[in-house]
Amino acid sequence: TRADMTFTRFVEVGRLVYIDQGKFCGKVAVIYDIIDRNLVMIDGPTTGVSRSVCNVKHIVLTKHTVGIERAATSKQISAALKEEGAMEAFTTSKWGMKIAGQIRRKQ
């Protein structure tokens, strides 16, 4: 059963991810397609992350997901984020507030 599983965060379509390396470092995006076990396609229409291919080693999976289909458009992703409140849930989480504090201290 799922309760007995060791891992709870999986690389899946609709998973909210935090980018910790590369051009969009420090931003949040959504996985909208999986290429292979090392590469995913991400999009962050509300955070300024353009649709791009990203290595799985450069992202950190969050516990938040949105209900989107594979290969969803930016408009569909934006609507799903707004409807389900996933971005607000992340920014109000302990991890999101920690990141916001780090950004404030850098300025």
Side-chain angles (χ1 to χ4, degrees):
T1 64
R2 192 166 176 104
D4 298 332
M5 298 176 87
T6 304
F7 301 106
T8 57
R9 298 176 185 176
F10 301 102
V11 176
E12 60 185 330
V13 173
R15 175 73 61 184
L16 217 65
V17 296
Y18 177 75
I19 304 167
D20 67 349
Q21 291 183 27
K23 181 178 177 181
F24 300 112
C25 183
K27 296 192 177 191
V28 179
V30 176
I31 296 175
Y32 72 90
D33 203 353
I34 300 170
I35 298 172
D36 61 20
R37 68 182 189 166
N38 294 318
L39 298 173
V40 294
M41 298 182 83
I42 59 170
D43 188 11
T46 59
T47 58
V49 177
S50 61
R51 292 172 76 92
S52 57
V53 177
C54 185
N55 193 316
V56 174
K57 295 176 184 175
H58 298 171
I59 59 176
V60 181
L61 303 173
T62 69
K63 67 178 182 178
H64 305 286
T65 59
V66 291
I68 59 170
E69 294 292 320
R70 185 169 174 250
T73 63
S74 289
K75 189 180 278 188
Q76 292 169 335
I77 294 170
S78 181
L81 284 170
K82 189 178 291 185
E83 179 183 318
E84 297 181 22
M87 286 301 296
E88 292 79 21
F90 177 74
T91 54
T92 58
S93 70
K94 195 170 187 177
W95 186 13
M97 290 190 289
K98 178 181 175 183
I99 292 168
Q102 290 171 346
I103 292 169
R104 275 195 309 272
R105 283 192 297 278
K106 281 184 181 178
Q107 296 174 350

